[in-house]
Amino acid sequence: METEFIYWRHPSVPGIKIEEICGGEDKSGKLWKDMAYQVYSENGRESYREIGHYRNGAPFLFGEEARISISHADHFLVVATLPPTPEVDLAEFSRRAALGVDAERLDREQVLAIRSRFLSPRELEKIGEDDLVANILAWTAKEACYKALMMEGVDFREDIRIEVLPELMPVVPVYDKEEFPEIRFGRALCRRGDEEVELTLYSYGSEGHAVTLAYSPQCAKFAVKRQG
């Protein structure tokens, strides 16, 4: 019996649009990914959307002026989108449109075996070797930062420094302030050529995955209201 794909669009605490696709467990590999992308393309508000890629690998939407970032893990696809920034050349890095997203299964224990490959000695001391969730958050944060920087040859251990690790928050920003009185953002300092780029980190859990956003404090954002 075939399982359906599920499309879900929701806001996020940072004011970045999130679109998620899951389901289709009877499909795998490239077939699942192709079908998930098709579901995404067919669920644009006004018309069919088509994804392309710049020479540096960054994705874009044909005919759109908004930065997007994409990640996929096991039967899970997430696309993050900023508001349109017509003043920015989206083929190039800009703090006005710096955005990256990454997703990983929360039970992927293999991350613990490779943590020395993406964490600096200082980060290895701060993040417990047996704390699976913290290591997955660190991994997704580094991947998201890499995408936001739009630059090849980035050393995850030396060029992306996690100053504050984000905490895993609920999936949507409409929770009760009494239950979650504080939003736990993270912070990374990244080396991009001769300049240092500060990126804010935000992580939430969805469908058994950790999703982390990395974005510049100066980037364009949608307005989001929080209950309470």
Side-chain angles (χ1 to χ4, degrees):
M1 180 178 178
E2 290 191 359
T3 55
E4 294 184 353
F5 283 78
I6 301 170
Y7 169 85
W8 186 30
R9 169 189 172 122
H10 62 84
S12 68
V13 167
I16 296 169
K17 182 174 72 176
I18 300 294
E19 294 170 275
E20 295 178 4
I21 297 166
C22 60
E25 283 81 4
D26 58 314
K27 310 293 189 301
S28 62
K30 185 177 184 302
L31 176 60
W32 187 92
K33 181 179 175 182
D34 290 345
M35 293 182 70
Y37 272 75
Q38 183 72 16
V39 171
Y40 168 80
S41 296
E42 292 175 351
N43 278 276
R45 273 192 162 180
E46 281 116 22
S47 61
Y48 183 87
R49 300 178 287 188
E50 186 175 355
I51 298 173
H53 290 83
Y54 296 112
R55 290 184 178 180
N56 57 19
F60 69 89
L61 291 174
F62 284 97
E64 299 287 340
E65 296 178 321
R67 168 79 70 216
I68 67 170
S69 184
I70 302 172
S71 182
H72 59 87
D74 184 32
H75 294 96
F76 185 78
L77 173 71
V78 58
V79 182
T81 307
L82 295 179
T85 51
E87 73 277 15
V88 172
D89 180 359
L90 294 178
E92 304 293 337
F93 171 81
S94 167
R95 283 178 170 79
R96 181 67 175 156
L99 170 67
V101 66
D102 193 66
E104 186 54 80
R105 287 193 60 86
L106 282 163
D107 61 359
R108 192 183 178 203
E109 295 184 356
Q110 295 95 321
V111 171
L112 297 177
I114 63 170
R115 61 191 232 108
S116 62
R117 301 180 189 176
F118 64 88
L119 295 177
S120 68
R122 178 170 171 265
E123 292 165 341
L124 288 170
E125 291 182 1
K126 292 173 60 177
I127 301 172
E129 61 181 349
D130 297 324
D131 190 335
L132 179 57
V133 171
N135 280 274
I136 286 175
L137 292 179
W139 169 252
T140 56
K142 295 260 181 167
E143 284 279 359
C145 288
Y146 169 70
K147 294 175 183 179
L149 292 173
M150 295 179 64
M151 185 181 71
E152 295 182 357
V154 175
D155 186 326
F156 277 28
R157 292 171 298 180
E158 300 299 327
D159 296 334
I160 301 174
R161 307 195 312 274
I162 298 175
E163 298 294 309
V164 179
L165 189 69
E167 290 193 15
L168 197 66
M169 301 300 292
V171 66
V172 291
V174 290
Y175 46 80
D176 192 332
K177 282 185 179 179
E178 293 185 1
E179 183 179 1
F180 298 97
E182 183 180 357
I183 300 172
R184 307 291 177 85
F185 293 97
R187 177 172 174 265
L189 294 178
C190 308
R191 185 184 304 145
R192 192 178 191 283
D194 295 329
E195 62 178 329
E196 185 175 73
V197 178
E198 177 184 349
L199 296 175
T200 301
L201 306 172
Y202 180 78
S203 298
Y204 68 89
S206 180
E207 299 297 326
H209 292 77
V211 180
T212 298
L213 299 165
Y215 56 94
S216 166
Q218 290 84 42
C219 78
K221 303 177 185 70
F222 294 98
V224 176
K225 292 184 178 180
R226 186 181 172 199
Q227 289 183 347

